[in-house]
Amino acid sequence: MPILRVTDLCKSFGPVTVLDRVTFEVERGQKIAILGPSGSGKTTMLRCINFLDRPTGGSIEIDGRRFGAKLAGGRERYESDRALAKERADIGFVFQRFNLFSHLSALNNVALAPRLVRKLPRAEAETLARQMLTRVGLAAKADSMPDALSGGQQQRVAIARVLAMQPKLILFDEPTSALDPELVGEVLNVMRSLAADGMTMLIVTHEVRFAADVADRILFMDHGRIAADGKPRDVLFDNPTDRMRQFLRTLSNDGPARPETTP
Ligand code: ADP
Ligand code: MG
């Protein structure tokens, strides 16, 4: 059974259709890289998967269970935010701009949701938070405030915060695109290690080399639809569509680096 099933997902803002019947499945442990031009609906798709944005149609299933909606009086309704908070904890979200709480230390950023949502006692939540900070290489920064950390360190705290909730899958929305180039590698390395641990990950990224290395599959989004879905080598290098070629050219004048591994 797929861990995530997205069926006919639609989202409009007023008259503007941003997602148009997006359908795909993700197996447990799969890494999916989502590529596509700016404005193609990548962020909206991730936000609709965990109901940070409400879809205007379609369904999300996590582990075979309908997420975010239930039957009431014979009609299907999307659930309230309050009802969603607990279910949503199964789905981690890593934002482009970290979104740490600026008035909380790294440790407290990571410990907060386990305390509030999972109802762990303070001491247990802090122990868990230290473990997760260690996991992302930041044990020494537990007491630092976010503004004393580099962008790469803040993003690693954000990843530790997600891990502390023991999510079934993690959605990453361009996790390195707000970082100075020299800080990108440390975040990608943490993501590689999560991938190696078998975490299920959906990653919106413009890091084509990373996507080609780490992803089991590439989804290419264009105008709110999935325009290509397949193995990285096939979608990026062996059989790219004209749109894909055009998109890859916008990322780099040299074109994407072909992965060095052979199939
Ligand atoms: P991407 O992440 O691929 O760059 P987005 O999902 O952010 O694309 O946006 C897709 C389209 O949806 C864009 O045209 C954007 O202007 C529009 N959009 C996104 N959020 C909103 C919103 N809250 N209200 C109106 N339009 C929006
Ligand atoms: Mg986006």
Side-chain angles (χ1 to χ4, degrees), residues 119-182:
K119 310 287 184 204
L120 290 190
R122 176 188 285 266
E124 255 177 70
E126 290 187 1
T127 301
L128 176 66
R130 280 184 205 284
Q131 287 166 353
M132 296 305 132
L133 286 172
T134 303
R135 179 79 182 72
V136 300
L138 289 175
K141 299 290 183 184
D143 297 323
S144 298
M145 300 303 282
D147 66 5
L149 299 172
S150 73
Q153 291 170 335
Q154 288 184 57
Q155 190 61 297
R156 284 148 67 200
V157 173
I159 293 172
R161 181 172 62 175
V162 157
L163 292 176
M165 294 300 281
Q166 291 154 326
K168 292 182 175 171
L169 71 160
I170 305 181
L171 314 178
F172 295 84
D173 190 11
E174 295 195 43
T176 60
S177 58
L179 299 177
D180 291 335
E182 72 272 21

Coordinates of all heavy atoms in Angstrom, one line a residue, residues 119-182:
K119 N 2.2 15.8 23.6 CA 2.0 15.8 25.0 C 3.1 15.2 25.8 O 2.8 14.6 26.9 CB 0.6 15.2 25.4 CG -0.6 15.7 24.6 CD -1.0 17.1 24.9 CE -2.2 17.5 24.2 NZ -2.3 19.0 24.1
L120 N 4.3 15.2 25.3 CA 5.4 14.7 26.1 C 5.7 15.6 27.3 O 5.6 16.9 27.1 CB 6.7 14.6 25.3 CG 6.8 13.6 24.2 CD1 8.2 13.5 23.6 CD2 6.3 12.2 24.6
P121 N 6.1 15.1 28.4 CA 6.6 15.9 29.5 C 7.8 16.7 29.1 O 8.6 16.2 28.2 CB 6.9 14.9 30.7 CG 6.4 13.6 30.3 CD 6.2 13.7 28.8
R122 N 8.1 17.9 29.7 CA 9.2 18.7 29.3 C 10.5 18.0 29.2 O 11.2 18.1 28.2 CB 9.3 19.9 30.3 CG 10.5 20.8 30.0 CD 10.7 21.8 31.1 NE 9.7 22.9 31.0 CZ 9.9 24.0 30.4 NH1 11.1 24.3 29.8 NH2 9.0 25.0 30.4
A123 N 10.9 17.2 30.2 CA 12.2 16.6 30.3 C 12.3 15.6 29.1 O 13.4 15.6 28.4 CB 12.4 15.9 31.6
E124 N 11.3 14.9 28.8 CA 11.3 13.9 27.7 C 11.4 14.6 26.4 O 12.2 14.2 25.5 CB 10.0 13.1 27.7 CG 10.2 11.7 28.2 CD 8.9 10.9 28.3 OE1 8.4 10.6 27.2 OE2 8.4 10.7 29.4
A125 N 10.7 15.7 26.2 CA 10.7 16.4 25.0 C 12.1 17.0 24.8 O 12.6 17.0 23.6 CB 9.7 17.6 25.0
E126 N 12.7 17.5 25.8 CA 14.1 18.1 25.7 C 15.1 17.0 25.4 O 16.0 17.2 24.6 CB 14.4 18.8 27.0 CG 13.6 20.1 27.1 CD 14.0 21.0 28.2 OE1 15.0 20.7 28.9 OE2 13.3 22.1 28.3
T127 N 15.0 15.8 26.0 CA 15.9 14.7 25.6 C 15.8 14.4 24.1 O 16.8 14.2 23.4 CB 15.6 13.5 26.5 OG1 15.7 13.9 27.9 CG2 16.5 12.3 26.2
L128 N 14.5 14.3 23.7 CA 14.3 14.0 22.3 C 14.9 15.1 21.4 O 15.5 14.8 20.4 CB 12.7 13.9 22.1 CG 12.2 13.6 20.7 CD1 12.7 12.3 20.2 CD2 10.7 13.8 20.6
A129 N 14.6 16.3 21.8 CA 15.1 17.4 21.0 C 16.7 17.4 20.9 O 17.2 17.6 19.8 CB 14.7 18.8 21.6
R130 N 17.3 17.1 22.0 CA 18.8 17.0 22.0 C 19.2 15.9 21.0 O 20.2 16.0 20.3 CB 19.4 16.7 23.3 CG 19.5 18.0 24.2 CD 20.2 17.7 25.5 NE 19.7 18.8 26.5 CZ 20.1 20.0 26.4 NH1 21.0 20.4 25.6 NH2 19.6 20.9 27.3
Q131 N 18.5 14.7 21.0 CA 18.9 13.6 20.1 C 18.7 14.1 18.7 O 19.6 13.8 17.8 CB 17.9 12.4 20.3 CG 18.2 11.7 21.6 CD 17.1 10.7 22.0 OE1 16.0 10.7 21.4 NE2 17.3 9.9 23.0
M132 N 17.7 14.8 18.4 CA 17.4 15.3 17.0 C 18.4 16.3 16.6 O 18.9 16.3 15.4 CB 16.0 15.8 16.9 CG 14.9 14.7 17.1 SD 15.2 13.3 16.0 CE 15.0 12.0 17.3
L133 N 18.8 17.2 17.5 CA 19.8 18.2 17.2 C 21.2 17.5 16.9 O 21.9 17.9 16.0 CB 20.0 19.2 18.3 CG 18.8 20.3 18.3 CD1 19.0 21.1 19.6 CD2 18.8 21.2 17.1
T134 N 21.4 16.4 17.7 CA 22.6 15.6 17.4 C 22.6 15.0 16.0 O 23.6 15.0 15.3 CB 22.8 14.6 18.5 OG1 22.8 15.2 19.8 CG2 24.1 13.7 18.3
R135 N 21.4 14.5 15.7 CA 21.2 13.9 14.4 C 21.5 14.8 13.2 O 22.0 14.4 12.2 CB 19.7 13.5 14.3 CG 19.2 12.8 13.1 CD 19.6 11.4 13.1 NE 19.2 10.7 11.8 CZ 19.8 10.9 10.7 NH1 20.8 11.8 10.5 NH2 19.3 10.3 9.6
V136 N 21.3 16.1 13.4 CA 21.6 17.1 12.3 C 22.9 17.8 12.5 O 23.2 18.8 11.9 CB 20.5 18.1 12.1 CG1 19.2 17.4 11.7 CG2 20.3 19.0 13.3
G137 N 23.7 17.3 13.5 CA 25.1 17.8 13.7 C 25.1 19.1 14.5 O 26.0 19.9 14.4
L138 N 24.0 19.4 15.3 CA 24.0 20.7 16.0 C 23.8 20.5 17.5 O 23.2 21.4 18.2 CB 22.8 21.5 15.4 CG 23.0 22.1 14.0 CD1 21.8 22.8 13.5 CD2 24.2 23.0 14.0
A139 N 24.3 19.5 18.1 CA 24.2 19.3 19.5 C 24.8 20.5 20.3 O 24.2 20.9 21.3 CB 24.9 18.0 20.0
A140 N 25.8 21.1 19.8 CA 26.5 22.2 20.5 C 25.7 23.5 20.4 O 26.1 24.4 21.1 CB 27.9 22.4 19.9
K141 N 24.7 23.5 19.6 CA 24.0 24.8 19.4 C 22.6 24.8 20.0 O 21.7 25.6 19.8 CB 23.8 25.0 17.9 CG 25.1 25.2 17.1 CD 25.8 26.5 17.5 CE 27.0 26.7 16.6 NZ 27.8 27.9 17.0
A142 N 22.4 23.8 20.9 CA 21.0 23.6 21.5 C 20.5 24.9 22.2 O 19.3 25.2 22.1 CB 21.1 22.5 22.6
D143 N 21.4 25.7 22.8 CA 21.0 26.9 23.5 C 21.0 28.1 22.7 O 20.7 29.2 23.2 CB 21.8 27.0 24.8 CG 21.5 25.8 25.8 OD1 20.4 25.4 25.8 OD2 22.5 25.4 26.4
S144 N 21.4 28.0 21.4 CA 21.5 29.2 20.6 C 20.1 29.7 20.1 O 19.3 28.9 19.9 CB 22.4 28.9 19.3 OG 23.7 28.6 19.7
M145 N 20.0 31.0 20.0 CA 18.8 31.5 19.4 C 18.9 31.5 17.9 O 20.1 31.6 17.4 CB 18.6 33.0 19.9 CG 18.4 33.1 21.4 SD 17.1 32.1 22.1 CE 15.6 33.1 21.7
P146 N 17.8 31.4 17.2 CA 17.9 31.3 15.7 C 18.8 32.4 15.1 O 19.6 32.1 14.2 CB 16.5 31.4 15.3 CG 15.7 30.8 16.4 CD 16.4 31.2 17.6
D147 N 18.7 33.7 15.6 CA 19.4 34.7 14.9 C 20.9 34.7 15.1 O 21.7 35.4 14.5 CB 18.8 36.1 15.2 CG 19.0 36.5 16.6 OD1 19.7 35.8 17.4 OD2 18.5 37.6 17.0
A148 N 21.3 33.8 16.0 CA 22.8 33.5 16.2 C 23.3 32.4 15.3 O 24.5 32.0 15.4 CB 23.1 33.3 17.7
L149 N 22.4 31.8 14.6 CA 22.8 30.7 13.7 C 22.8 31.1 12.3 O 22.1 32.0 11.8 CB 21.7 29.5 13.9 CG 21.6 29.0 15.3 CD1 20.4 28.0 15.4 CD2 22.9 28.3 15.8
S150 N 23.7 30.4 11.5 CA 23.7 30.6 10.0 C 22.4 30.1 9.4 O 21.7 29.3 10.1 CB 24.9 29.9 9.4 OG 24.7 28.5 9.4
G151 N 22.2 30.5 8.2 CA 21.0 29.9 7.5 C 21.0 28.4 7.4 O 20.0 27.8 7.6
G152 N 22.2 27.9 7.1 CA 22.3 26.4 7.0 C 22.0 25.7 8.4 O 21.3 24.7 8.4
Q153 N 22.5 26.3 9.5 CA 22.2 25.8 10.8 C 20.7 25.9 11.1 O 20.1 25.0 11.7 CB 23.1 26.5 11.8 CG 24.5 26.2 11.7 CD 25.4 27.0 12.6 OE1 25.1 28.2 12.9 NE2 26.6 26.5 12.9
Q154 N 20.1 27.1 10.8 CA 18.7 27.2 11.0 C 17.9 26.2 10.3 O 16.9 25.6 10.8 CB 18.2 28.6 10.6 CG 18.7 29.7 11.5 CD 18.2 31.1 11.2 OE1 17.0 31.3 11.1 NE2 19.1 32.0 10.9
Q155 N 18.3 25.9 9.0 CA 17.5 24.9 8.3 C 17.7 23.5 8.9 O 16.8 22.7 8.9 CB 17.9 25.0 6.8 CG 17.0 24.2 5.9 CD 15.5 24.6 5.9 OE1 14.9 24.6 6.9 NE2 15.1 25.1 4.7
R156 N 18.9 23.3 9.4 CA 19.1 22.0 10.1 C 18.3 21.9 11.4 O 17.7 20.8 11.7 CB 20.6 21.7 10.3 CG 21.3 21.4 9.0 CD 22.7 21.8 9.0 NE 23.5 21.2 10.0 CZ 24.7 21.6 10.5 NH1 25.2 22.8 10.0 NH2 25.4 20.9 11.3
V157 N 18.1 23.0 12.1 CA 17.2 23.0 13.3 C 15.8 22.7 12.8 O 15.1 21.9 13.4 CB 17.3 24.3 14.1 CG1 16.2 24.3 15.2 CG2 18.7 24.5 14.7
A158 N 15.4 23.3 11.7 CA 14.1 23.1 11.2 C 13.8 21.6 10.9 O 12.8 21.1 11.1 CB 13.8 24.0 10.0
I159 N 14.9 21.0 10.3 CA 14.8 19.6 10.0 C 14.7 18.7 11.3 O 13.9 17.8 11.4 CB 15.9 19.1 9.1 CG1 15.8 19.8 7.7 CG2 16.0 17.6 8.9 CD1 17.0 19.6 6.8
A160 N 15.5 19.1 12.3 CA 15.4 18.4 13.6 C 14.1 18.6 14.2 O 13.5 17.6 14.8 CB 16.5 19.0 14.5
R161 N 13.5 19.7 14.0 CA 12.1 20.0 14.6 C 11.1 19.0 13.9 O 10.2 18.5 14.6 CB 11.7 21.4 14.3 CG 10.4 21.8 14.8 CD 10.1 23.3 14.7 NE 10.2 23.8 13.4 CZ 9.9 25.0 13.0 NH1 9.6 25.9 14.0 NH2 9.9 25.4 11.8
V162 N 11.2 18.8 12.6 CA 10.4 17.9 11.9 C 10.6 16.5 12.4 O 9.7 15.7 12.7 CB 10.6 18.1 10.4 CG1 10.1 16.8 9.7 CG2 9.8 19.3 9.9
L163 N 11.9 16.1 12.5 CA 12.2 14.7 12.9 C 11.7 14.4 14.3 O 11.3 13.2 14.6 CB 13.7 14.5 12.9 CG 14.4 14.5 11.5 CD1 15.9 14.4 11.7 CD2 13.9 13.4 10.6
A164 N 11.6 15.4 15.2 CA 11.2 15.1 16.6 C 9.7 14.7 16.6 O 9.3 14.1 17.6 CB 11.4 16.4 17.4
M165 N 9.0 14.9 15.6 CA 7.6 14.5 15.5 C 7.5 13.1 14.9 O 6.4 12.6 14.7 CB 6.8 15.5 14.7 CG 6.7 16.8 15.4 SD 5.9 16.7 17.1 CE 4.2 16.6 16.6
Q166 N 8.6 12.5 14.6 CA 8.6 11.1 14.0 C 7.6 11.0 12.8 O 6.7 10.2 12.9 CB 8.4 10.1 15.1 CG 9.6 10.0 16.0 CD 9.3 9.5 17.4 OE1 8.2 9.8 17.9 NE2 10.3 8.9 18.0
P167 N 7.7 11.9 11.8 CA 6.7 11.9 10.8 C 6.8 10.6 9.9 O 7.9 10.0 9.8 CB 7.1 13.1 10.0 CG 8.6 13.3 10.2 CD 8.8 12.8 11.6
K168 N 5.7 10.3 9.2 CA 5.7 9.2 8.2 C 6.3 9.7 6.9 O 6.8 8.8 6.2 CB 4.3 8.8 8.0 CG 3.7 8.1 9.2 CD 2.3 7.6 8.9 CE 1.7 6.9 10.1 NZ 0.3 6.6 10.0
L169 N 6.2 10.9 6.6 CA 6.9 11.4 5.4 C 7.2 12.9 5.7 O 6.6 13.6 6.5 CB 6.1 11.3 4.2 CG 4.8 12.1 3.9 CD1 4.5 12.1 2.5 CD2 3.7 11.5 4.7
I170 N 8.2 13.4 4.9 CA 8.6 14.8 5.1 C 8.5 15.5 3.7 O 9.0 15.0 2.7 CB 10.1 14.9 5.6 CG1 10.2 14.2 6.9 CG2 10.4 16.4 5.8 CD1 11.6 14.3 7.5
L171 N 7.9 16.7 3.7 CA 7.8 17.5 2.5 C 8.8 18.6 2.6 O 8.8 19.3 3.7 CB 6.4 18.1 2.4 CG 5.2 17.1 2.6 CD1 3.9 17.9 2.5 CD2 5.2 16.0 1.6
F172 N 9.7 18.8 1.6 CA 10.7 19.8 1.6 C 10.4 20.8 0.5 O 10.3 20.4 -0.6 CB 12.1 19.3 1.4 CG 12.6 18.3 2.4 CD1 12.3 17.0 2.4 CD2 13.5 18.8 3.4 CE1 12.8 16.1 3.4 CE2 14.0 17.9 4.4 CZ 13.6 16.6 4.4
D173 N 10.2 22.1 0.8 CA 9.9 23.1 -0.2 C 11.2 23.9 -0.4 O 11.4 24.9 0.3 CB 8.7 23.9 0.2 CG 8.3 24.8 -1.0 OD1 8.7 24.6 -2.1 OD2 7.4 25.7 -0.8
E174 N 11.9 23.6 -1.4 CA 13.2 24.3 -1.8 C 14.0 24.6 -0.5 O 14.2 25.8 -0.2 CB 12.8 25.6 -2.5 CG 12.2 25.3 -3.9 CD 12.2 26.6 -4.8 OE1 13.2 27.3 -4.8 OE2 11.2 26.8 -5.4
P175 N 14.4 23.6 0.2 CA 15.0 23.8 1.5 C 16.4 24.5 1.4 O 16.8 25.0 2.5 CB 15.2 22.4 2.0 CG 15.2 21.5 0.8 CD 14.3 22.2 -0.1
T176 N 17.0 24.6 0.3 CA 18.3 25.2 0.2 C 18.3 26.5 -0.6 O 19.3 27.2 -0.8 CB 19.4 24.3 -0.4 OG1 19.0 23.9 -1.7 CG2 19.5 23.0 0.4
S177 N 17.1 26.9 -1.1 CA 17.2 28.0 -2.1 C 17.3 29.4 -1.4 O 17.6 30.4 -2.1 CB 16.1 28.0 -3.1 OG 14.9 28.0 -2.5
A178 N 17.1 29.5 -0.1 CA 17.3 30.7 0.6 C 18.7 30.8 1.2 O 19.0 31.8 1.9 CB 16.2 30.9 1.7
L179 N 19.5 29.8 0.9 CA 20.9 29.8 1.6 C 22.0 30.3 0.7 O 21.9 30.2 -0.5 CB 21.2 28.3 1.9 CG 20.3 27.6 2.9 CD1 20.7 26.1 3.0 CD2 20.2 28.3 4.2
D180 N 23.0 30.9 1.3 CA 24.2 31.2 0.6 C 24.8 29.9 0.1 O 24.7 28.9 0.7 CB 25.2 31.9 1.5 CG 24.7 33.3 2.0 OD1 23.9 33.9 1.2 OD2 25.1 33.7 3.0
P181 N 25.4 30.0 -1.1 CA 25.9 28.8 -1.8 C 26.8 27.9 -0.9 O 26.7 26.7 -0.9 CB 26.7 29.3 -3.0 CG 26.1 30.7 -3.2 CD 25.6 31.2 -1.9
E182 N 27.6 28.5 0.0 CA 28.5 27.7 0.7 C 27.8 26.9 1.9 O 28.4 26.1 2.5 CB 29.7 28.5 1.3 CG 29.3 29.5 2.4 CD 28.8 30.9 1.9 OE1 28.4 31.0 0.7 OE2 28.9 31.8 2.7

